Amino acid sequence: MACSRAEALSLFRSLLRVASTFKDYNIRSYARRRTIDGFRENQTLSDPSSISAAFSDGKAQLVVATRQALVYDIYAPTTKSVMETLGV
Amino acid sequence: MAPTVAATLIYVPTLSISLKQRPGVSGVFPTSSVLFPRSRRIGSHRLRVSCAAKPETVDKVCEIVKKQLALGADQIVNGESKFSALGADSLDTVEIVMGLEEEFGITVEEESAQTIATVQDAADMIDNLCAIKQ
């Protein structure tokens, strides 16, 4: 079952939204970077089976990320990372 | 020996970030104090049927688009620039919309996000959403 272009973009948007909910700066920037790299890497896939494999992989990662955002939230870091205090 | 190596590693990121910040900050100030775009906008506001976006919003959107697509200072981005003409593919457009959401503190719906084609569309939608939020 191949996914459509709109579904892929919707997954991209959902992953980016979940990535921005992480409290830890490092994990937040990694999640954002990884989704962008992952989607760019698979941008030119043409084989339907590999497209659907990548899509289901992405959906599984979305489930993991939403769960982990909640789990990490329980023990959120109290001090802000130095990267977030720039711009003074 | 090891501490000095670590010290040099720490220095590099802050240097590059502060260098990136300065041009961005100095780029915002002149445009917000120039009167020409403002007077031009008022004229186009009368001609448009729908309410036009504020020039500050358009400028901010242009800044974010330029940063996302890594366009040079010589490339002109204004209200009528189409994202596809600037070399943005659909992934870039999604990233730009997410950046705009973060910058303006709004949430854009899926369907509305798919209809954005030019910088002006994005600025109009942002102003509508900000007005609804208030």
Side-chain angles (χ1 to χ4, degrees):
Chain A
M1 180 180 75
C3 79
S4 71
R5 194 161 166 274
E7 282 177 13
L9 287 175
S10 168
L11 179 65
F12 187 55
R13 197 191 310 276
S14 315
L15 276 166
L16 285 180
R17 272 205 221 279
V18 168
S20 62
T21 59
F22 281 104
K23 294 286 189 305
D24 188 340
Y25 171 83
N26 293 323
I27 302 172
R28 193 167 62 231
S29 44
Y30 168 73
R32 191 186 142 84
R33 195 169 56 232
R34 182 68 184 91
T35 63
I36 293 171
D37 289 349
F39 273 82
R40 289 236 175 259
E41 192 187 317
N42 295 332
Q43 205 173 7
T44 52
L45 287 179
S46 54
D47 179 30
S49 60
S50 56
I51 290 175
S52 55
F55 184 66
S56 46
D57 194 24
K59 278 208 288 190
Q61 294 297 321
L62 178 63
V63 172
V64 170
T66 28
R67 186 181 62 230
Q68 287 309 115
L70 291 172
V71 170
Y72 286 143
D73 206 14
I74 300 171
Y75 292 103
T78 49
T79 52
K80 276 191 153 212
S81 158
V82 69
M83 303 293 282
E84 293 174 314
T85 59
L86 282 177
V88 173
Chain B
M1 209 175 316
T4 52
V5 169
T8 52
L9 280 173
I10 289 166
Y11 266 117
V12 168
T14 52
L15 262 180
S16 62
I17 282 163
S18 62
L19 276 174
K20 263 196 278 187
Q21 292 278 40
R22 300 256 170 74
V25 168
S26 62
V28 167
F29 282 132
T31 49
S32 62
S33 61
V34 167
L35 293 173
F36 276 128
R38 209 171 287 264
S39 57
R40 196 179 65 212
R41 275 296 156 204
I42 290 170
S44 64
H45 180 83
R46 259 186 264 128
L47 292 169
R48 283 179 190 276
V49 176
S50 60
C51 53
K54 297 195 286 288
E56 304 91 37
T57 316
V58 178
D59 287 338
K60 271 197 202 174
V61 174
C62 291
E63 279 295 318
I64 290 174
V65 170
K66 270 196 191 177
K67 202 169 65 161
Q68 172 63 38
L69 302 176
L71 299 173
D74 51 344
Q75 256 189 299
I76 305 163
V77 181
N78 55 23
E80 279 74 42
S81 322
K82 297 186 77 163
F83 288 128
S84 48
L86 295 169
D89 58 7
S90 50
L91 291 180
D92 281 321
T93 312
V94 173
E95 281 186 56
I96 289 169
V97 170
M98 296 298 298
L100 294 173
E101 283 190 13
E102 197 183 311
E103 169 79 22
F104 292 96
I106 54 174
T107 316
V108 180
E109 296 294 314
E110 285 261 0
E111 303 85 28
S112 332
Q114 276 155 13
T115 60
I116 298 178
T118 69
V119 172
Q120 193 59 47
D121 293 342
D124 291 339
M125 183 170 3
I126 288 165
D127 278 340
N128 286 340
L129 287 168
C130 287
I132 291 169
K133 204 174 67 166
Q134 281 146 14

